[in-house]
Amino acid sequence: MSDSENYQQRKAFFAQMLTIYGRKPVLEALQDDAIAVYKLHLASSNREDGQIRKMRELAEKRGVIIEMHDRQALSRISKNGKQDQGAAADLQLSGLKDASELSQQTATGQRQFIALDRITNPQNLGMIIRSVAASGIDGLILPRKGCAALSPLVIKSSAGTLFRAPIFLCDDLSSCLSKLKNDGTRLCALSSHAKQSLLTDNYQGSSVYVLGNETDGVSPAISKLCQQQLSIPMHNGVESLNVAITAALIAFSSAGN
């Protein structure tokens, strides 16, 4: 294997890693054989109480690497020293990929994706992930910064579907969408002011449906990139839907188109 091939394999492997923290989430992950746990991180200052002992036992039984750290080092790993409770774990998610793979996806046929622009509520993100996993839509495009992090609360809100959902992580949403647009993918912004309805959209080709912030909607910069504006018809004086509900409608109406 060449150095380039080895690098690409390592890059793909680590792109699938998600670090979770907190004793209960880590213990639940270790108890679920369907979740691939790569490494268990523990603070050396932990007391060997029931939960910590159980984590060790499960990790050893499953052949999971166990690493000990001082509190400062563990805080750097969990990125949340105030709430990690001295425990973190690296999970390998088969559906988690880098957005650099999106071009290969769109080149192989008609593909449908949802992209999130500054969705900050973890519960909304979790519910969106659940709809993406359940619907069979081709994936969720999620910026690493500016949106809610893939935290234990998101895992809980997704009802565990985060471990199976197709998610493409990008560093910058604008750059990611610009590349897809140049490759021939249609970009659609969801807007309550748009004249064309999502329900009557019959575009035959790859599309990305962009959902914006819970308060402000799609940002002007991202909206400017989009070739199409779509709305969901409202009745009885209702102005808009929760973003997670909107995502569900898009996911199930677009999957398989």
Side-chain angles (χ1 to χ4, degrees), residues 8-9 11-16 93-108 111 113 138 141 144 167-170 176 179-180 183:
Q8 291 300 328
Q9 280 195 358
K11 182 180 178 182
F13 175 77
F14 285 106
Q16 292 183 330
L93 278 59
S94 60
L96 195 62
K97 303 181 187 301
D98 189 83
S100 59
E101 298 187 31
L102 282 167
S103 293
Q104 294 176 329
Q105 295 268 336
T106 55
T108 58
R111 303 287 182 173
F113 302 91
D138 294 292
I141 302 172
R144 290 186 173 91
I167 300 174
F168 296 84
L169 295 176
C170 65
C176 176
K179 186 176 189 314
L180 288 171
D183 289 342

Side-chain angles (χ1 to χ4, degrees), residues 110-117 128 137-141 173 177 180 185-190 196-199 201-212 218 222 226 228-231 246-247 249-251 253-255 257:
Q110 185 177 331
R111 303 287 182 173
Q112 312 295 326
F113 302 91
I114 291 174
L116 302 185
D117 177 24
I128 291 169
I137 196 171
D138 294 292
L140 177 69
I141 302 172
L173 184 61
L177 294 181
L180 288 171
T185 298
R186 182 186 66 153
L187 306 182
C188 303
L190 269 291
Q196 184 173 346
S197 168
L198 169 73
L199 306 182
D201 180 49
N202 57 3
Y203 180 77
Q204 300 298 309
S206 293
S207 294
V208 175
Y209 300 91
V210 185
L211 293 175
V218 178
I222 297 297
C226 297
Q228 186 78 48
Q229 303 278 324
L230 296 173
S231 65
T246 301
L249 288 171
I250 295 169
S253 65
S254 302
N257 281 356

Side-chain angles (χ1 to χ4, degrees), residues 123-193:
Q123 292 178 316
N124 281 338
L125 177 55
M127 289 188 288
I128 291 169
I129 289 170
R130 187 175 185 179
S131 293
V132 167
S135 67
I137 196 171
D138 294 292
L140 177 69
I141 302 172
L142 183 65
R144 290 186 173 91
K145 295 181 180 179
C147 281
L150 296 176
S151 65
L153 182 54
V154 172
I155 295 172
K156 181 178 180 180
S157 299
S158 77
T161 58
L162 171 61
F163 301 120
R164 300 185 294 276
I167 300 174
F168 296 84
L169 295 176
C170 65
D171 290 322
D172 179 71
L173 184 61
S174 178
S175 298
C176 176
L177 294 181
S178 292
K179 186 176 189 314
L180 288 171
K181 182 179 179 179
N182 291 337
D183 289 342
T185 298
R186 182 186 66 153
L187 306 182
C188 303
L190 269 291
S191 170
S192 59
H193 306 297

